């Protein structure tokens, strides 16, 4: 008889492998999408493929964003499957888990279908029925007849009409169902408290809107005002707002957030992850231990310094913990720190990497996009808070070390010695950081002027 625990372990490992493969596909697609302009590459690829519309980078957002969203959700369902995590000895739990996983997959497909159906640049249902294409052809023919009668050049295009066949009122049901299922998975991945905060904020907003709608300022009901004015509000009136939330490229669900994530964050996150799994992360840890060997905190201070250094190249706390915590946490415990304190210091220090310039967390890029503040201004504003954050952690480790009577290393241990390879790794890490800082903090008008423009091969044809 097979062991249920062994079957569950095998199932989990299989799900992890599927998630890793899909994640690799997503990373490759994201890196291609965010690839900078290489002179002649786009034209060469288009001619090689025999299609002038074929692109190898900067894919059309109306097709790429939904596909990327689907791949992300596939990673979630394989990595955090309710069915795989359910106990094999509880068939009801397994069945319920499978039902939830299928609901998650269905919600993802429905969101993508609704996006392609509602956005005017695709109109998926109309592509199948041909109604919209027929309407465009009829309008173009009418424009041509009018142009010929007036002796004008024949037009080649007309304004695209809105989608004819849409999801209609079903859009409310699709979005409500998808949000409910996504919140369920958020509770599993990030914990129930975070989801409860989101639910409380949503309920608070809805209650305040309803109070204002039915009571209104000074007791005047907005509902009766609109009804008496001949404009009663119904559920159908909210469809444009929900459609805007889904498809608006500036602030929609598959709009600006996906733009920031796939066009801006991807290169930085991949860069930090590569350094973390390579020897460069170990070189950073060695450097941190070397700098803090004369301090009482020892490994605790090294964990803080290494997390701060690693935070300059990776804005992800999970990546930070995986790269630095593997060594610093056992070292802290070995030196006499409490296990809880060791884990807490590493978690807090790695979380601070999100606010450590120049490569910060996803929230910093989203903040820059939503507030229309240049990212270089964001990183300048984040320098002092980041230093204050890590300074407070530094003092905490020092007080704890004094409390427990922990002494400094003093001497240079064998694992602290920097080899030639370590120095090369550190140059490979800090070189790109310096380049990022120079390009971010240098005004655009200075790129083609002065010594910086000359160093980059720019030819000045005007006085700056």
């Amino acid at each position: 008889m097979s062991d249920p625990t062994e079957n569950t372990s095998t199932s989990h490992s299989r799900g992890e492998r599927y998630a890793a493969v899909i994640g690799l596909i997503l990373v490759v697609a994201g890196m291609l999408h965010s690839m900078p302009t290489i002179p002649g590459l786009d034209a060469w690829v288009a001619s090689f493929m025999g299609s002038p519309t074929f692109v190898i980078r900067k894919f059309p957002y109306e097709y790429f964003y939904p596909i990327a969203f689907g791949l992300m959700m596939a990673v979630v369902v394989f990595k955090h499957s309710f069915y795989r995590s359910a106990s094999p000895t509880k068939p009801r739990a397994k069945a319920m888990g499978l039902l939830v996983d299928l609901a998650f997959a269905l919600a993802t497909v429905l969101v993508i279908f609704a996006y392609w159906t509602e956005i005017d640049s695709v109109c998926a249902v109309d592509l199948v029925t041909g109604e919209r294409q027929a309407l465009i052809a009829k309008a173009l023919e009418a424009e041509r007849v009018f142009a010929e009668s007036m002796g004008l050049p024949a037009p080649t295009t007309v304004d695209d009409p809105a989608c004819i066949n849409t999801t209609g009122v079903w859009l409310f049901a699709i979005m409500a169902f998808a949000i409910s299922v996504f919140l369920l998975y958020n509770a599993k991945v990030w914990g129930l408290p975070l989801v409860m905060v989101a639910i409380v904020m949503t309920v608070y907003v809805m209650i305040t809107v309803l109070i204002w709608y039915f009571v209104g300022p000074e007791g005047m009901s907005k509902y009766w005002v609109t009804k008496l004015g001949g404009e009663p509000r119904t559920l159908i009136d909210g469809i444009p707002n929900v459609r805007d939330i889904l498809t608006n490229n500036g602030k929609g669900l598959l709009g600006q957030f996906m733009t920031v994530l796939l066009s801006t964050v991807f290169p930085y996150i991949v860069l930090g992850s590569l350094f973390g799994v390579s020897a460069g992360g170990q070189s950073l840890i060695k450097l941190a231990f070397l700098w803090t060997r004369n301090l009482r905190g020892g490994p605790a201070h090294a964990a803080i310094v290494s997390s701060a250094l690693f935070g300059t190249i990776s804005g992800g706390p999970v990546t930070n913990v995986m790269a630095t915590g593997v060594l610093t946490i056992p070292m802290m415990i070995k030196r006499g720190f409490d296990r809880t304190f060791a884990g807490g210091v590493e978690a807090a220090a790695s979380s601070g990497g999100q606010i450590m310039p120049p490569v910060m967390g996803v929230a910093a890029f989203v903040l820059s996009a939503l507030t229309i503040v240049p990212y270089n201004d964001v990183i300048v504003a984040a320098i002092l808070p980041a230093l204050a954050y890590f300074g407070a952690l530094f003092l905490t480790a020092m007080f704890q070390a004094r409390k427990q009577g922990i002494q400094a290393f003093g001497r240079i241990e064998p694992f602290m010695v920097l080899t030639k390879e370590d120095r090369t790794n550190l140059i490979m890490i800090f070189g790109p950081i310096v380049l990022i800082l120079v390009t971010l903090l240098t005004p655009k008008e200075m790129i083609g002027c002065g010594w910086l423009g000359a160093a980059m091969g720019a030819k000045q044809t005007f006085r700056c």
Side-chain angles (χ1 to χ4, degrees):
M1 183 179 293
S2 61
D3 186 5
T5 306
E6 183 179 348
N7 292 338
T8 303
S9 177
T10 304
S11 179
H12 271 292
S13 62
R14 191 184 302 118
E16 293 280 348
R17 287 197 296 270
Y18 292 156
V21 171
I22 297 173
L24 178 61
I25 295 172
L26 183 60
V27 167
V28 172
M31 293 301 294
L32 287 175
H33 177 70
S34 58
M35 183 170 61
T37 302
I38 299 177
L41 177 63
D42 295 339
W44 179 83
V45 171
S47 63
F48 179 79
M49 298 302 296
S51 172
T53 60
F54 187 87
V55 293
I56 194 176
R57 63 180 195 90
K58 299 299 180 187
F59 307 118
Y61 72 89
E62 62 269 26
Y63 295 103
F64 181 59
Y65 289 178
I67 293 174
F69 174 76
L71 291 176
M72 293 176 187
M73 296 301 103
V75 171
V76 172
V77 78
F78 279 119
K79 193 173 180 63
H80 304 282
S81 168
F82 278 86
Y83 173 75
R84 296 181 188 277
S85 60
S87 173
T89 59
K90 299 179 179 179
R92 288 188 177 181
K94 295 286 285 185
M96 185 60 67
L98 178 61
L99 183 62
V100 173
D101 289 346
L102 291 176
F104 185 85
L106 178 61
T108 302
V109 172
L110 287 176
V111 168
I112 296 174
F113 170 76
Y115 179 85
W116 276 337
T117 301
E118 298 289 342
I119 192 167
D120 291 340
S121 56
V122 179
C123 296
V125 176
D126 291 339
L127 286 177
V128 177
T129 62
E131 293 182 43
R132 188 165 178 260
Q133 286 78 0
L135 182 61
I136 293 174
K138 184 177 180 180
L140 181 60
E141 182 62 26
E143 290 288 336
R144 285 176 179 171
V145 171
F146 177 77
E148 291 177 1
S149 65
M150 301 297 294
L152 300 173
T156 57
T157 60
V158 292
D159 293 336
D160 292 340
C163 299
I164 299 174
N165 297 288
T166 62
T167 55
V169 74
W170 286 102
L171 185 60
F172 290 104
I174 292 173
M175 295 305 296
F177 171 68
I179 291 173
S180 301
V181 177
F182 292 163
L183 282 176
L184 186 61
Y185 270 81
N186 271 307
K188 178 177 174 59
V189 177
W190 301 109
L192 184 60
L194 184 63
V195 175
M196 289 304 300
V197 170
I199 293 175
V200 169
M201 292 177 62
T202 303
V203 171
Y204 172 77
V205 171
M206 294 181 66
I207 289 176
T208 53
V209 170
L210 289 174
I211 290 175
W212 176 76
Y213 190 70
F214 287 103
V215 179
E218 299 179 358
M220 183 178 63
S221 172
K222 183 173 176 58
Y223 173 78
W224 287 111
V225 170
T226 55
K227 191 171 182 66
L228 293 174
E231 298 178 359
R233 297 190 176 186
T234 63
L235 187 64
I236 301 297
D237 297 327
I239 290 181
N241 294 330
V242 179
R243 183 185 296 119
D244 192 59
I245 291 173
L246 178 64
T247 63
N248 189 306
N249 195 40
K251 57 183 179 181
L253 176 65
L254 299 181
Q256 189 163 1
F257 177 77
M258 295 293 288
T259 301
V260 172
L261 183 63
L262 295 173
S263 301
T264 306
V265 179
F266 242 93
Y268 291 116
I269 298 299
V270 171
L271 174 67
S273 299
L274 288 176
F275 279 132
V277 299
S278 66
Q282 296 299 318
S283 301
L284 278 179
I285 297 174
K286 283 186 178 181
L287 185 64
F289 273 102
L290 187 64
W291 284 353
T292 60
R293 70 183 186 278
N294 293 320
L295 300 175
R296 277 179 173 267
H301 284 140
I304 296 169
V305 173
S306 61
S307 294
L309 291 174
F310 200 84
T312 61
I313 60 173
S314 172
V318 176
T319 307
N320 203 324
V321 170
M322 292 175 63
T324 61
V326 176
L327 181 61
T328 57
I329 292 177
M331 288 294 293
M332 280 188 277
I333 296 174
K334 183 178 179 181
R335 292 287 293 171
F337 284 102
D338 182 76
R339 291 177 178 271
T340 304
F341 180 81
V345 165
E346 180 58 45
S350 297
S351 298
Q354 297 181 94
I355 61 172
M356 190 66 180
V359 181
M360 302 169 67
V362 178
F365 294 95
V366 175
L367 181 147
S368 175
L370 294 180
T371 59
I372 320 180
V373 174
Y375 183 68
N376 55 349
D377 292 343
V378 174
I379 65 174
V380 169
I383 292 175
L384 284 179
L387 292 177
Y389 181 88
F390 284 103
L393 286 178
F394 217 81
L395 291 175
T396 302
M398 184 184 69
F399 294 149
Q400 185 69 18
R402 288 180 178 274
K403 179 181 178 182
Q404 296 186 220
I406 298 174
Q407 299 300 321
F409 276 112
R411 64 187 182 280
I412 299 179
E413 301 286 345
F415 69 88
M416 300 180 189
V417 178
L418 292 176
T419 63
K420 184 178 179 180
E421 183 182 357
D422 290 325
R423 293 187 178 91
T424 303
N425 292 333
L426 292 175
I427 293 174
M428 292 172 60
I429 290 175
F430 290 113
I433 292 176
V434 173
L435 179 61
I436 290 172
L437 284 173
V438 170
T439 53
L440 282 177
L441 299 179
T442 303
K444 291 183 179 179
E445 62 270 13
M446 294 295 293
I447 295 297
C449 304
W451 65 270
L452 187 59
M456 294 185 177
K459 295 182 178 179
Q460 297 184 19
T461 58
F462 57 90
R463 293 180 63 85
C464 297

